[in-house]
Amino acid sequence: MTKKIFLYSLGFLLLFFIEAVFRPISVFGVSPMYVLCGVSAMGILEKEKFGAIFGLIFGLLCDFTGGSLFGSQALVFMITGFIAGTLSEITLSKSFFSTLVITASSIIVFGGLKSLFYIVLNEEEPLSVLLYIMLPKFLLTLPFSVLIYFMLKFLQKISAPNRERKKRKKW
Amino acid sequence: MNNFFRSRFFIALIIITCFLAGFMLNVAIDGGRMPHRTLVGIITSPITTAVTNIKNSTATFFAAYTNYKELLAENEMLKEENSNLKKRLENSYTLEVEIDRLKQLTNVLKDTEELKLIEAQVVSVSTDGWISSFSINKGSLSGIKEKDVVIASSGLVGKVREVGPNWATVVTFTDPQIAVGAKITRTEDTAMTEGTVDLKAKGLCKLSYLNKNSSAIRGDIVETSGLGGLYPAGIIIGTIKDINVDDNGLTKYAVIQPAVDFTTLKKVYVSINYAGEEAE
């Protein structure tokens, strides 16, 4: 369990640094939400507890980078991780497609709400917000949700080899 | 499922959600402080600084090899520029002496307090994509306060939004939430820079409320006017890229190319003693 948490934490730290420090991809100043993808995948793979806790911790880290309102990303990531975990137990299968659906829904729902506030508070044109923030964010993030799902699945695999090996030896 | 909703985890989740929502409301309504914000910053800032240093040194190391030809050409160009500048410096020295003499004689120009600048490193960029901001590795321990002006070697960057002991977040002036009193250096026309979502996406910003009769042209330099008291006068903002008449037909607006390239910004300077900043 400790090994699993350690490996996941390393994976999430990597995602955080890619998003906040390295930023290899950026269109109109918007970069993919790697951590959100990780949280969705975590919820799908490891159920709601892991999803919510990792969402909260790494959401707070993302908030530190100077987002709009401190705590907003933590809240969104935590809820996303929790919902992903809960839905994976009820309806969704444990596949990359589910991660894709959860990530897309999170961007649309929470991003949509944020867009509304942004448009009202800053008197911005809705089309500009859609074209220059929401759309690039959506299109850039989705492909990575698949990649990150497989990365976390790999970490899940290598974090539990001892038990499997022991089982094999017994047989 | 009923058991789940009564579980300790679910209750803890609800409490955390309420806390976060409460803190956010507090900040949104009356700008209250968030203790966990400071705590996260204290822990995270040294780590992000270290990672940024690794990133920068790796990039510099590889750039030295991949851009060798470009570096050679740049070196030649810099040598030539250096010799030109030396000549100009010799001329300007005599001018400087003359200006000093005239200042003392006429006492027309008041002594302006020199800005005390704190050097800081950009350690991380905002991840949410809504606000154009970044974090730096210096904070209140270095004397930085909220609303302090941030500049780079090439011009204005923005202002400090939040401060912790060893970190601060800076909002760039291209963000829609920021407006800066500006002046066109050549024509002395005053106006105001404003960020818009579409221009921010292209790394540009808008110069609004420009007089209809302004003779400003493309390539004119825009600097801070000092009006409004938030930013000291004379800091370069950028150059005019395009000029148009507003829809109302009464004023003009220009599109500015900021002097600072925010995508490659590594070091900034925070002015910690600008007296005008209390004016807001």
Side-chain angles (χ1 to χ4, degrees):
Chain A
M1 191 67 169
T2 321
K3 190 182 174 187
K4 187 193 257 186
I5 293 171
F6 177 72
L7 283 175
Y8 278 146
S9 304
L10 278 184
F12 267 83
L13 271 178
L14 179 74
L15 294 179
F16 168 70
F17 285 128
I18 291 173
E19 190 166 336
V21 180
F22 296 102
R23 290 170 77 92
I25 301 165
S26 174
V27 176
F28 300 141
V30 176
S31 60
M33 301 177 79
Y34 305 98
V35 178
L36 178 70
C37 298
V39 169
S40 307
M42 181 67 101
I44 295 288
L45 289 168
E46 296 287 350
K47 297 183 187 170
E48 72 280 346
K49 270 188 193 176
F50 267 70
I53 293 169
F54 272 80
L56 176 69
I57 294 170
F58 285 92
L60 282 173
L61 275 184
C62 287
D63 279 322
F64 164 72
T65 60
S68 33
L69 194 58
F70 191 79
S72 59
Q73 291 194 85
L75 200 62
V76 167
F77 290 2
M78 188 179 76
I79 293 170
T80 305
F82 177 75
I83 289 175
T86 312
L87 287 181
S88 75
E89 282 182 6
I90 304 167
T91 51
L92 292 174
S93 60
K94 289 193 174 186
S95 67
F96 72 85
F97 184 72
S98 305
T99 310
L100 205 72
V101 171
I102 294 287
T103 309
S105 313
S106 179
I107 294 173
I108 292 169
V109 174
F110 294 112
L113 282 172
K114 224 168 182 180
S115 301
L116 273 177
F117 279 112
Y118 196 80
I119 290 161
V120 172
L121 289 174
N122 295 327
E123 295 174 2
E124 281 291 345
E125 283 181 30
L127 190 67
S128 297
V129 173
L130 187 75
L131 277 178
Y132 294 108
I133 301 180
M134 281 298 287
L135 202 63
K137 194 174 264 198
F138 188 79
L139 295 176
L140 286 174
T141 306
L142 287 191
F144 283 99
S145 69
V146 179
L147 283 175
I148 290 165
Y149 170 82
F150 286 112
M151 183 192 97
L152 289 183
K153 201 170 182 185
F154 173 71
L155 290 180
Q156 188 189 41
K157 244 183 191 177
I158 58 166
S159 62
N162 292 339
R163 209 181 298 159
E164 281 174 19
R165 271 180 210 158
K166 278 177 190 172
K167 271 183 188 174
R168 276 176 202 161
K169 274 181 186 175
K170 276 181 186 176
W171 281 105
Chain B
M1 201 65 185
N2 279 338
N3 286 338
F4 172 75
F5 287 116
R6 284 176 196 160
S7 67
R8 276 188 207 165
F9 177 71
F10 188 73
I11 293 166
L13 208 69
I14 295 293
I15 293 170
I16 292 168
T17 308
C18 292
F19 262 112
L20 281 174
F23 276 132
M24 279 159 60
L25 267 177
N26 182 29
V27 171
I29 293 167
D30 65 355
R33 302 285 304 169
M34 301 178 88
H36 59 298
R37 168 82 177 97
T38 312
L39 187 71
V40 173
I42 290 170
I43 300 165
T44 324
S45 187
I47 304 167
T48 41
T49 307
V51 174
T52 307
N53 282 335
I54 295 168
K55 174 201 150 193
N56 290 345
S57 8
T58 318
T60 317
F61 177 78
F62 283 111
Y65 290 96
T66 50
N67 306 331
Y68 185 69
K69 275 185 183 173
E70 283 174 30
L71 284 173
L72 273 178
E74 195 180 339
N75 194 25
E76 284 303 313
M77 196 189 75
L78 286 171
K79 272 181 189 169
E80 201 182 315
E81 198 179 320
N82 192 26
S83 65
N84 287 338
L85 284 172
K86 269 182 186 169
K87 280 175 197 166
R88 282 175 66 181
L89 192 69
E90 281 164 15
N91 294 335
S92 71
Y93 179 71
T94 47
L95 283 173
E96 208 174 288
V97 172
E98 180 67 11
I99 288 168
D100 277 347
R101 194 181 63 82
L102 286 170
K103 261 191 202 175
Q104 281 168 1
L105 278 174
T106 58
N107 201 20
V108 172
L109 295 168
K110 286 177 190 170
D111 283 342
T112 49
E113 195 184 357
E114 273 191 27
L115 295 177
K116 192 178 175 189
L117 301 172
I118 298 285
E119 188 185 293
Q121 194 181 359
V122 177
V123 290
S124 61
V125 184
S126 167
T127 57
D128 78 346
W130 293 91
I131 284 191
S132 177
S133 70
F134 55 83
S135 303
I136 54 173
N137 66 344
K138 296 274 171 70
S140 55
L141 292 175
S142 308
I144 295 172
K145 309 175 294 297
E146 278 177 28
K147 294 176 190 171
D148 274 349
V149 179
V150 183
I151 56 176
S153 51
S154 44
L156 183 70
V157 172
K159 66 176 181 175
V160 174
R161 197 174 73 139
E162 285 177 297
V163 189
N166 58 349
W167 56 269
T169 53
V170 178
V171 186
T172 66
F173 75 89
T174 55
D175 191 85
Q177 291 180 6
I178 304 278
V180 182
K183 182 178 85 174
I184 295 169
T185 311
R186 187 179 59 84
T187 62
E188 300 229 319
D189 289 320
T190 54
M192 188 177 273
T193 69
E194 289 176 325
T196 63
V197 172
D198 49 342
L199 288 175
K200 185 186 83 172
K202 294 165 193 161
L204 307 168
C205 78
K206 191 177 173 183
L207 186 71
S208 303
Y209 312 118
L210 199 57
N211 194 312
K212 193 187 169 185
N213 302 319
S214 168
S215 58
I217 50 167
R218 270 186 208 177
D220 270 348
I221 293 169
V222 181
E223 62 180 40
T224 51
S225 65
L227 296 174
L230 265 175
Y231 301 86
I235 301 172
I236 291 180
I237 296 174
T239 46
I240 293 179
K241 211 182 168 200
D242 199 12
I243 297 188
N244 291 300
V245 178
D246 271 313
D247 291 340
N248 58 26
L250 300 170
T251 49
K252 278 181 179 176
Y253 73 90
V255 175
I256 305 175
Q257 174 74 58
V260 176
D261 182 3
F262 295 108
T263 55
T264 56
L265 201 60
K266 285 176 187 167
K267 263 182 193 174
V268 292
Y269 302 90
V270 185
S271 153
I272 57 166
N273 69 334
Y274 176 57
E277 58 201 327
E278 302 299 331
E280 194 181 55

